[in-house]
């Protein structure tokens, strides 16, 4: 489930300088917040920043063309991280006066990124050999989770603030944002089956969770698997993925349920059991919280 961001007010019609990627800029010491709005259909509009840029969709739809990868739909609740000096090309297939697109682009100074990563690697080193806090530029497109959306919203607020302390607060929030992005990228790599580093204890733990979804998985059994105390393991896991081990287990059970529900002939109660839940009412409530619809409604999406 994607977490949406708060949408800033649109620029007043009389203040628009252009109908394609009208730009409003908020400059701070170590970052620059850009709000882009487009009011007419356009194709292959180029855009490039000198710094790393974190972009998040606020309204409408774009089609992004990045690197040599196929174009992909870009919608609210989604974020794209783009290295410095990489040109993106953007289509606006549905933009109009009544249906504008709005997107934020947060350019972050490289020195701020380097300082933050050095601080994290020094003060909060990762478990395992040759493991470091770093951004993954291959994993550049992901959904916003609640924590990431909350941090981006906080940063938007600080950038737009008139407070004399806004730079100091924005700097702290930039650190938090970089941590959230790295955690989200790690979680997405695991989801996509691309996290296979044998030097990281989390690899074995995740394999164990996926093989034992129908079992009663406890924090103790997971920490034993990682050869850590429960306290150390909990901190380690949450630092890596931005969620607790039990939250991860529940997410994996929901993922399993979603796969099963694509079979129109299977019963919801059966899905509940096969994905490791003992209580059908709890399963239905949790599924609806995650996906916004009930398991039965989700199943009906896949009925031909």
């Amino acid at each position: 489930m994607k977490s949406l961001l708060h949408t800033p007010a649109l620029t007043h019609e009389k203040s628009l300088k252009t109908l394609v990627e009208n730009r409003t800029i908020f400059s701070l010491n170590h970052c620059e917040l850009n709000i882009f709005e487009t009011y007419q259909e356009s194709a292959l509009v180029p855009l490039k920043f000198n710094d790393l840029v974190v972009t998040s969709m606020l309204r409408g739809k774009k089609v992004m063309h990045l690197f040599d990868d196929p174009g992909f739909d870009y919608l609210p609740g989604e974020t794209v991280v783009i290295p410095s000096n990489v040109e993106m090309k953007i289509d606006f297939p549905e933009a109009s006066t009544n249906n504008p697109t709005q997107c934020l682009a947060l350019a972050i100074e490289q020195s701020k990124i380097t300082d933050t990563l050095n601080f994290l690697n020094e003060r909060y080193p990762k478990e395992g050999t040759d493991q470091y806090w770093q951004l993954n530029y291959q994993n550049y497109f992901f959904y916003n989770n609640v924590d990431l959306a909350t941090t981006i919203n906080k940063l938007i607020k600080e950038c737009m603030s008139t407070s004399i302390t806004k730079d100091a607060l924005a700097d702290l929030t930039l650190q938090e944002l970089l941590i959230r992005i790295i955690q989200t990228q790690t979680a997405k790599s695991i989801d996509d089956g691309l996290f296979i580093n044998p030097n990281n204890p989390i690899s074995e733990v995740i394999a164990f969770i996926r093989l034992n979804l129908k079992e009663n998985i406890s924090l103790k059994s997971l920490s034993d698997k990682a050869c850590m105390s429960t306290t150390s393991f909990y901190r380690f896991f949450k630092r890596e993925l931005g969620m607790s081990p039990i939250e991860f287990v529940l997410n994996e059970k929901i993922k399993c349920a979603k796969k099963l529900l694509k079979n129109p002939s299977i019963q919801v109660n059966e899905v509940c059991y096969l994905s490791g839940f003992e209580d059908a009412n709890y399963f239905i409530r949790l599924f609806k919280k995650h996906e916004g619809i009930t398991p039965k409604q989700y199943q009906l999406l896949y009925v031909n």
Side-chain angles (χ1 to χ4, degrees):
M1 186 175 171
K2 296 185 285 193
S3 294
L4 302 179
L5 300 178
H6 301 322
T7 50
L10 291 165
T11 305
H12 191 277
E13 189 178 352
K14 290 179 181 175
S15 302
L16 291 172
K17 303 177 192 72
T18 172
L19 296 178
V20 178
E21 292 295 67
N22 184 78
R23 184 177 189 174
T24 306
I25 302 173
F26 303 88
S27 293
L28 282 82
N29 283 347
H30 297 115
C31 67
E32 177 188 85
L33 175 67
N34 300 266
I35 305 290
F36 290 98
E37 298 164 33
T38 294
Y39 293 81
Q40 67 183 34
E41 289 184 30
S42 313
L44 298 177
V45 176
L47 186 61
K48 184 162 72 171
F49 288 85
N50 295 328
D51 294 309
L52 174 132
V53 64
V54 178
T55 78
S56 284
M57 279 299 284
L58 300 167
R59 309 174 199 248
K61 170 184 170 180
K62 293 181 179 182
V63 177
M64 289 282 281
H65 304 272
L66 261 178
F67 310 110
D68 294 322
D69 295 346
F72 58 92
D73 289 351
Y74 191 21
L75 301 165
E78 298 172 353
T79 287
V80 173
V81 177
I82 303 154
S84 59
N85 296 306
V86 169
E87 185 173 76
M88 52 193 119
K89 296 274 181 65
I90 310 165
D91 301 336
F92 302 88
E94 299 171 1
S96 67
T97 305
N98 296 325
N99 183 35
T101 68
Q102 188 183 42
C103 181
L104 70 84
L106 181 77
I108 308 173
E109 274 185 13
Q110 184 56 48
S111 61
K112 183 65 183 174
I113 297 166
T114 302
D115 289 349
T116 299
L117 295 178
N118 287 342
F119 169 77
L120 290 169
N121 284 314
E122 189 176 313
R123 294 287 298 276
Y124 305 99
K126 286 179 172 279
E127 301 287 339
T129 55
D130 298 323
Q131 298 295 298
Y132 304 101
W133 287 91
Q134 57 191 345
L135 290 161
N136 179 351
Y137 295 117
Q138 279 70 51
N139 196 350
Y140 57 81
F141 172 62
F142 40 84
Y143 291 173
N144 298 340
N145 56 38
V146 172
D147 289 332
L148 181 59
T150 300
T151 307
I152 296 173
N153 281 329
K154 200 191 308 183
L155 200 46
I156 295 170
K157 182 183 171 189
E158 297 305 341
C159 288
M160 292 181 165
S161 165
T162 55
S163 164
I164 58 170
T165 59
K166 71 176 185 177
D167 277 298
L169 291 170
D171 274 359
L172 293 170
T173 313
L174 279 174
Q175 283 192 339
E176 184 181 348
L177 177 64
L178 290 167
I179 293 168
R180 298 293 184 201
I181 287 171
I182 293 167
Q183 289 171 334
T184 306
Q185 288 178 326
T186 303
K188 185 171 184 291
S189 293
I190 289 166
D191 272 353
D192 294 343
L194 301 174
F195 190 89
I196 47 173
N197 192 325
N199 293 327
N200 191 318
I202 211 163
S203 298
E204 192 175 347
V205 171
I206 284 158
F208 174 79
I209 289 170
R210 287 177 169 164
L211 287 171
N212 294 277
L213 278 183
K214 286 202 286 181
E215 306 303 319
N216 183 16
I217 301 173
S218 67
L219 183 61
K220 177 77 167 62
S221 63
L222 295 178
S223 56
D224 287 348
K225 193 56 117 175
C227 301
M228 296 182 192
S229 71
T230 52
T231 305
S232 295
F233 173 72
Y234 182 92
R235 282 201 305 261
F236 154 69
F237 197 100
K238 188 142 191 180
R239 190 178 65 207
E240 287 283 311
L241 299 186
M243 67 182 90
S244 73
I246 301 308
E247 284 173 321
F248 181 83
V249 170
L250 291 174
N251 285 348
E252 287 295 304
K253 289 184 176 187
I254 293 293
K255 266 174 57 186
C256 175
K258 285 164 67 177
K259 283 182 188 171
L260 292 167
L261 286 166
K262 290 178 183 178
N263 174 357
S265 62
I266 197 167
Q267 296 295 313
V268 169
N269 280 350
E270 196 178 351
V271 171
C272 168
Y273 168 72
L274 290 173
S275 50
F277 292 97
E278 295 177 3
D279 183 317
N281 288 328
Y282 173 69
F283 165 61
I284 291 166
R285 281 200 313 275
L286 186 69
F287 192 97
K288 188 169 184 181
K289 181 182 174 185
H290 268 249
E291 302 301 317
I293 54 177
T294 65
K296 192 65 188 172
Q297 288 168 326
Y298 185 88
Q299 187 177 41
L300 290 173
L301 297 175
Y302 293 91
V303 174
N304 294 328

